[in-house]
Amino acid sequence: MATTNLPAWGYGIRYQYGMFRQVLRDGFQHEQPDYWLNFGNPWELERSASIAYQVSFYGHVSVQDDGGRQAFRWNPGEQVTAVAYDTPIPGFQTNNTNNLRLWAAKPDREFDLQAFNTGDYVQAILAKQRAETLSSVLYPDDRTYEGKELRLKQQHFFVSATVQDVVRRYREQHASWDAFPDKVAFQMNDTHPTLLVPELMRVLMDHEGLGWTRAWELVTETCNFTNHTILPEALERWPVAMMEKLLPRHMQIIYDINWRFLQQMRGRYGDDWDRISRMSIIEETPDADKYVRMAYLAVIAARTVNGVAAIHSNILRDDTFAPFHELFPGKFQNKTNGVTPRRWLAFCNEPLRELLTDTLGSDAWIKDLDRLKVLREHARDPALQKRWQEVKALAKDKALSTIERLSGVALPNREAMLDVQVKRIHEYKRQLLNVLGIVHRYDTIRKLPRAERGGVVPRVCVIGGKAAPGYEMAKRIIKLVSAVAEKVNNDPEVGDLLKVAFVPDYNVSVAEAIIPGTELSEHISTAGTEASGTGNMKFAMNGALIIGTMDGANIEIAEEIGEDNIFIFGARASEVAGLRAARAEFQPDPRFLHTLDLIRSGTFGWEDYFVPLLDSITYSDYYLVANDFGPYIEAQERVDRVYQKPEEWTAMSINSTAGSGFFSSDRTILEYAKDIWGVEPTPVPNQRDDFDD
């Protein structure tokens, strides 16, 4: 946003620890603390002396008469202080700099000296620890009630401090609320900050004295909602009992929002309560439990709702939020994700940057990525292809060295194809399909007569990513990758024709080393499950070829670079429901059954541990691994054939980079600014220009 000269503030939590540092022991994932701030942050500025806000929890709500008007007062049972830490975010080749404000939780009193002096030493320390826990760990494990409550507290802490700060900054410059929608636009990224809606209502009504109608107008004119995933576990539902205990005033406001909305729906649909209940913010289960559907709250309150890829936005409109789209068709938009070409091309792949600048005649492409389209005219130019291959070889050697260092796997064959799948480990992302494909490749190589192995394309297959601490199936996938790697890498029959490596603790720094050198990038989620993906954009930008399904942004990548430059396979999103329904009649590919038998028979050890994993794709197979296995293997065979034709492969690689201009985050942000925020670029002039004027 700074690079596009848009005035903006970013808000978040100043975490002491990341989610976790991933360590593999005997192929099993173990979580260790990921220390983010042990040595401080030299770029941040602490604002504790000037910018700090009280954030409240628990307690009860009292009602008072205020000149004939009901006034609600929240009497909190616990308070903490949110202290601001600011990090300047400078734009590229511009004077504009935006601010990232992160909140750290501190006790409302640094140390309870009275409690300490009266002998309550433990309580004096615990009060401080309870407060600081709020900003300690990113994504705490929420398998327990305490973990869930901590997540909800974190969300309110972050939102409350932000709302108070935005309101303060607005009120310092304006006497009335008339200009608030013109000066403020909130973008809620997924459901995590949806408490913004009741918190802004609370501040406007209880602190600023506005009535419900005016406060709701301001909320619905300033709040916008981006949905990033359709996975049920990501569409947050909070128990009403927990919300009432932790945030009693907010629960009152949510009930009020819901009641008013349901009355509107009753006016539209009459007494069709079955239909109306499906749209209610409050979900009532058959067991009489009640939950707050945070996504529904966001959709009802937001001025705009958007997905992050064309297929994803269509699913939101036609399925996930279909009843709301029928009500509010004008709310729904698409804003396909993008990635910054500065980090993900210009500065992580300097040899390619130099080649692009030489070929295009300037480095203006770094801020205008559409200029890369000119490369299409030269994709088959022998001179460019030669330089392109040299640049890719340099990047590949760096990537392989990084993989060797992190995985401990020796990779002596620098001519082998570098095949990479790095992303969060999840069943829908189908790392399992990749591993089964590797097992099939391994078995095929072993069965080949030695005289025919010369025609095999050597591969280094790399998988990396973290499994959520409580996600057992994902952890079993990691163990399977490790077990297959152990067997394959030590089999002299296969030698350097196939190597397998799991990269532990995959992060941005590792990505910057691996992505530029990758030749084949795997984005193979079940169609209709991946909202967008941004890894596919980063790989394509650096000239990697994609093997993938028509899911997420893969669809738009295929449109931009041309379907003849991407290896597409598998069921389409429109076919998935039918394939699931016909599961009982489905006959799996014999190669799929043989691959599973190899694992079940103990070829890779740990056969008992892998039983739940194999059963999940033998019986229900929700993510259609069996259905897509045959097409996946055939797509991999196409990959091998093209890789054996360097001129064709290189032309596809050049076209991949040439077609990646649409996936610049600059384009994405400017679309948000124009279609959602109503903000125009406001470049800061050069001081020299001011002086000359």
Side-chain angles (χ1 to χ4, degrees):
M1 296 175 78
T3 296
T4 53
N5 296 320
L6 294 171
W9 287 62
Y11 285 97
I13 295 178
R14 181 181 181 268
Y15 292 104
Q16 291 283 334
Y17 301 92
M19 186 166 63
F20 61 85
R21 186 168 70 88
Q22 183 191 50
V23 174
L24 259 60
R25 295 185 190 138
D26 197 20
F28 290 95
Q29 172 180 292
H30 292 265
E31 299 90 33
Q32 295 185 350
D34 187 10
Y35 301 102
W36 278 4
L37 291 175
N38 264 22
F39 303 103
N41 176 4
W43 307 111
E44 69 183 5
L45 302 170
E46 183 180 353
R47 303 294 194 189
S48 57
S50 56
I51 302 173
Y53 302 99
Q54 293 295 309
V55 177
S56 302
F57 304 97
Y58 306 110
H60 66 278
V61 179
S62 57
V63 183
Q64 301 170 339
D65 181 77
D66 184 12
R69 174 177 171 271
Q70 274 191 334
F72 293 85
R73 179 183 177 187
W74 182 11
N75 305 282
E78 179 182 304
Q79 288 186 308
V80 300
T81 300
V83 175
Y85 287 76
D86 289 350
T87 301
I89 308 295
F92 179 72
Q93 293 181 348
T94 176
N95 292 325
N96 286 52
T97 298
N98 288 333
N99 189 46
L100 173 63
R101 177 159 286 174
L102 302 180
W103 302 107
K106 306 290 184 183
D108 60 340
R109 288 175 292 175
E110 183 59 33
F111 185 73
D112 192 342
L113 186 61
Q114 182 178 355
F116 189 86
N117 286 338
T118 56
D120 196 351
Y121 310 124
V122 174
Q123 184 57 40
I125 299 299
L126 285 180
K128 183 174 187 293
Q129 289 181 340
R130 275 198 303 269
E132 293 178 346
T133 296
L134 281 177
S135 55
S136 289
V137 181
L138 171 68
Y139 297 142
D141 190 348
D142 60 356
R143 284 176 290 179
T144 64
Y145 179 91
E146 291 77 14
K148 288 183 175 67
E149 186 180 67
L150 177 56
R151 281 211 185 190
L152 185 56
K153 289 183 77 171
Q154 285 183 334
Q155 291 181 10
H156 172 62
F157 167 77
F158 151 56
V159 162
S160 179
T162 299
V163 168
Q164 292 180 68
D165 193 50
V166 171
V167 168
R168 174 192 61 80
R169 291 195 292 114
Y170 175 82
R171 294 295 274 162
E172 286 176 351
Q173 302 292 328
H174 303 85
S176 79
W177 291 97
D178 295 343
F180 193 67
D182 296 324
K183 298 297 182 181
V184 175
F186 294 102
Q187 193 68 43
M188 297 182 289
N189 276 304
D190 249 334
T191 53
H192 310 307
T194 305
L195 283 171
L196 167 70
V197 174
E199 175 66 3
L200 184 55
M201 288 291 290
R202 184 188 73 84
V203 169
L204 292 175
M205 293 191 300
D206 299 357
H207 289 216
E208 300 295 332
L210 299 184
W212 178 280
T213 301
R214 182 56 176 149
W216 184 245
E217 286 176 353
L218 294 176
V219 167
T220 56
E221 289 174 354
T222 56
C223 291
N224 304 281
F225 174 48
T226 298
N227 173 272
H228 285 275
T229 178
I230 58 172
L231 292 180
E233 62 263 33
L235 298 174
E236 289 181 308
R237 298 157 61 251
W238 291 108
V240 166
M242 180 184 291
M243 187 82 77
E244 286 177 327
K245 174 187 172 186
L246 186 65
L247 303 169
R249 180 62 178 132
H250 296 71
M251 196 62 242
Q252 285 183 340
I253 293 170
I254 291 169
Y255 270 132
D256 245 353
I257 293 170
N258 194 49
W259 183 84
R260 291 165 190 260
F261 175 71
L262 294 184
Q263 292 308 305
Q264 292 176 9
M265 295 306 98
R266 190 180 182 192
R268 183 182 180 102
Y269 301 122
D271 290 333
D272 186 354
W273 289 108
D274 183 59
R275 181 174 189 173
I276 292 172
S277 66
R278 291 197 298 270
M279 302 174 69
S280 173
I281 296 170
I282 307 301
E283 177 188 7
E284 299 189 37
T285 70
D287 298 329
D289 293 324
K290 293 183 179 181
Y291 294 89
V292 181
R293 294 163 162 156
M294 302 305 284
Y296 287 14
L297 175 61
V299 170
I300 290 167
R303 192 175 67 87
T304 65
V305 177
N306 71 277
V308 290
I311 184 176
H312 172 230
S313 295
N314 290 337
I315 291 171
L316 294 183
R317 286 191 292 258
D318 301 338
D319 186 2
T320 311
F321 300 135
F324 298 100
H325 179 248
E326 182 183 338
L327 278 175
F328 317 117
K331 275 192 182 189
F332 287 78
Q333 302 185 15
N334 175 60
K335 294 288 173 279
T336 299
N337 276 338
V339 299
T340 169
R342 269 74 64 185
R343 175 182 292 276
W344 293 113
L345 177 52
F347 294 107
C348 75
N349 196 347
E350 290 191 25
L352 183 55
R353 170 184 176 171
E354 293 173 5
L355 174 55
L356 293 173
T357 298
D358 288 348
T359 303
L360 300 176
S362 79
D363 66 358
W365 61 269
I366 299 176
K367 290 185 70 173
D368 182 7
L369 207 62
D370 278 336
R371 290 173 180 258
L372 295 180
K373 290 179 180 177
V374 175
L375 291 171
R376 289 173 177 154
E377 303 169 11
H378 309 284
R380 296 192 177 275
D381 176 63
L384 177 60
Q385 284 210 355
K386 182 175 183 297
R387 290 191 63 190
W388 195 274
Q389 291 165 1
E390 291 169 351
V391 163
K392 286 296 291 184
L394 284 172
K396 179 177 169 182
D397 187 68
K398 178 181 177 182
L400 290 170
S401 296
T402 300
I403 294 161
E404 283 183 318
R405 175 173 57 82
L406 295 174
S407 69
V409 176
L411 305 172
N413 185 1
R414 272 5 198 195
E415 302 301 317
M417 181 198 303
L418 181 52
D419 172 352
V420 174
Q421 185 183 22
V422 280
K423 53 187 72 213
R424 178 167 57 97
I425 308 296
H426 198 289
E427 287 166 279
Y428 89 86
K429 292 180 182 287
R430 300 203 297 190
Q431 286 91 351
L432 182 53
L433 177 59
N434 189 350
V435 182
L436 296 179
I438 292 169
V439 171
H440 171 75
R441 179 176 292 270
Y442 169 69
D443 184 56
T444 300
I445 293 172
R446 282 187 58 87
K447 288 178 178 176
L448 279 176
R450 288 186 178 275
E452 296 180 21
R453 293 182 187 178
V456 172
V457 175
R459 283 212 198 190
V460 173
C461 297
V462 178
I463 296 176
K466 296 180 180 180
Y471 193 176
E472 287 301 323
M473 203 65 82
K475 288 186 169 183
R476 291 177 195 271
I477 292 172
I478 292 174
K479 176 58 183 175
L480 179 59
V481 176
S482 301
V484 170
E486 180 71 19
K487 179 71 173 180
V488 171
N489 297 339
N490 292 289
D491 188 341
E493 281 292 306
V494 174
D496 292 338
L497 292 178
L498 182 63
K499 294 292 183 184
V500 183
F502 186 91
V503 175
D505 206 36
Y506 179 72
N507 56 34
V508 169
S509 297
V510 175
E512 289 177 311
I514 291 178
I515 288 174
T518 297
E519 293 171 294
L520 182 70
S521 179
E522 308 227 7
H523 303 275
I524 56 178
S525 54
T526 310
T529 60
E530 185 73 82
S532 169
T534 54
N536 45 8
M537 303 171 189
K538 297 165 189 172
F539 283 100
M541 208 172 272
N542 283 273
L545 301 190
I546 289 174
I547 181 170
T549 51
M550 289 298 260
D551 193 30
N554 281 359
I555 297 172
E556 288 154 283
I557 290 174
E559 292 171 356
E560 293 294 322
I561 70 174
E563 286 198 34
D564 52 344
N565 294 306
I566 185 171
F567 300 99
I568 294 294
F569 73 94
R572 301 309 196 249
S574 60
E575 301 170 333
V576 168
L579 291 172
R580 285 173 178 156
R583 174 66 187 174
E585 293 78 38
F586 174 68
Q587 295 296 319
D589 188 309
R591 295 171 296 182
F592 174 79
L593 297 175
H594 176 66
T595 300
L596 265 57
D597 286 343
L598 288 173
I599 300 170
R600 289 188 190 277
S601 65
T603 302
F604 305 97
W606 299 91
E607 55 270 27
D608 292 340
Y609 183 74
F610 297 136
V611 166
L613 199 57
L614 301 180
D615 285 351
S616 73
I617 56 175
T618 301
Y619 303 111
S620 61
D621 194 18
Y622 185 78
Y623 294 108
L624 305 183
V625 174
N627 296 75
D628 281 352
F629 181 83
Y632 176 66
I633 295 303
E634 286 146 20
Q636 290 284 15
E637 290 169 353
R638 294 200 307 274
V639 169
D640 285 341
R641 289 195 294 272
V642 176
Y643 195 77
Q644 291 173 316
K645 303 172 184 177
E647 296 82 6
E648 184 176 347
W649 184 277
T650 304
M652 292 174 68
S653 175
I654 293 171
N655 281 321
S656 182
T657 300
S660 62
F662 179 77
F663 303 102
S664 168
S665 55
D666 298 343
R667 185 268 314 156
T668 308
I669 291 299
L670 288 171
E671 286 183 3
Y672 274 97
K674 177 177 177 289
D675 301 334
I676 295 179
W677 306 325
V679 180
E680 295 184 356
T682 53
V684 174
N686 291 315
Q687 289 185 353
R688 182 179 297 277
D689 293 342
D690 289 345
F691 181 78
D692 291 343
D693 290 343

